[in-house]
Amino acid sequence: MTSPQPTFTPETLEQQLLQEDALLRGHFRLSSGLHSDTYVQCARFLCRPDLAAPAAAELARLIQEAGLQPDVVVGPAMGGVVIGYELARQLGVPGIFTERDDAGQMTLRRGFTVEPGQKIVIAEDVVTTGKSTKEVARVLEGLGAKVLAVASLIDRTGAQAELSFPNFALLPVTAATYAPDDCPLCRSGIPVVKPGSRPEKAFS
C-alpha cells in the first residue's frame, strides 16, 4: 500500500520561498518608492519547475474546489507569465498574458484575445495592492469576458484589495511599509536595498 502524498501547505511554500531567496526579510526600497521590511521576488521560486508545478496544482485544486472552471488563464507580465502558464496547464485551458503598451497601459498584445462571455482566472505571482489585478480585470471585462477570480502564490494585501471577485492565494504575507522620510529602519541605520528589476530612474 502506497503512502498518501503530502498535502501542500502554506508552511511548505514559505519554506521553499525562503530557501530560494524568493522571500527576504530586511530593509528594502520597493518599486513604489516605499520602504519595507519584506521583499518578495517570486521569479527565484518560479524558475524551478519542480517547485512551480506543485504550487500551481494547489491553486488549481482551490479553484476547482470552489466550483469554478475558467476558459482561459490570464497573467499580467512579467510576474504572472510563468505562474499563469503553469496554472493554465494544470486546469487544461489556454494561458495568455497582458502587458503594458508604449503608453504604459495594460493591454492584450501578440495576437492574444478573449471572447465575450469567456470565463477568466487572473494569475499573479504576488498580489500586493490589487492594482494590477484590477487593471487586467478592466481590460478583460471591456472585451466582454467575465473574471471569476484571481489566483496567486502570495497575497500581501492584508484583505485590503477590495476586489469584486474571489482572491485565491497560497500564502498570506504581512509586510510593513513606510514612507522614506518616516522609516524606522532608516532611523535604526539599517542600509536600504533595492532588489527589484526596475531601473533606478523609476524612483526619481
Side-chain angles (χ1 to χ4, degrees), residues 3 17 26 33 38 41 61 64 72 82-83 125 135 137 142 149 157 190:
S3 301
L17 290 166
T38 302
Q41 178 53 277
R61 185 189 70 79
Q64 292 171 329
V72 183
V82 175
I83 188 62
D125 55 353
E135 285 185 90
T157 68
I190 302 172

Side-chain angles (χ1 to χ4, degrees), residues 174-189:
T174 301
T177 55
Y178 312 101
D181 57 358
D182 188 27
C183 175
L185 302 173
C186 289
R187 290 196 293 270
S188 298

Side-chain angles (χ1 to χ4, degrees), residues 52-109:
E58 177 64 7
L59 281 174
R61 185 189 70 79
L62 293 174
I63 290 166
Q64 292 171 329
E65 193 174 71
L68 303 178
Q69 179 55 56
D71 300 307
V72 183
V73 172
V74 180
M78 291 286 294
V81 173
V82 175
I83 188 62
Y85 168 83
E86 183 58 32
L87 179 58
R89 190 179 74 84
Q90 297 284 348
L91 290 169
V93 300
I96 64 176
F97 56 88
T98 59
E99 58 191 306
R100 297 195 183 281
D101 60 19
D102 292 340
Q105 298 299 309
M106 193 69 79
T107 187
L108 285 171
R109 304 175 72 178

Side-chain angles (χ1 to χ4, degrees), residues 29-31 39 41 193-199 203:
R29 181 166 53 175
L30 306 179
S31 59
Y39 186 79
Q41 178 53 277
V193 177
K194 184 182 75 67
S197 57
R198 293 191 188 183
F203 300 96

Side-chain angles (χ1 to χ4, degrees), residues 141-187:
E141 290 169 349
L143 295 170
K146 176 178 176 55
V147 176
L148 298 180
V150 59
S152 65
L153 297 176
I154 294 175
D155 179 11
R156 283 187 53 178
T157 68
Q160 300 300 310
E162 297 182 351
L163 300 172
S164 60
F165 38 79
N167 180 3
F168 296 100
L170 297 183
L171 179 66
V173 170
T174 301
T177 55
Y178 312 101
D181 57 358
D182 188 27
C183 175
L185 302 173
C186 289
R187 290 196 293 270

Side-chain angles (χ1 to χ4, degrees), residues 93-143:
V93 300
I96 64 176
F97 56 88
T98 59
E99 58 191 306
R100 297 195 183 281
D101 60 19
D102 292 340
Q105 298 299 309
M106 193 69 79
T107 187
L108 285 171
R109 304 175 72 178
R110 305 173 193 271
F112 291 148
T113 187
V114 296
E115 302 298 328
Q118 280 192 314
K119 300 184 289 294
I120 311 291
V121 165
I122 297 171
E124 299 256 27
D125 55 353
V126 185
V127 177
T128 302
T129 64
K131 180 180 176 182
S132 69
T133 303
K134 292 175 183 177
E135 285 185 90
V136 175
R138 282 195 294 270
V139 170
L140 300 173
E141 290 169 349
L143 295 170

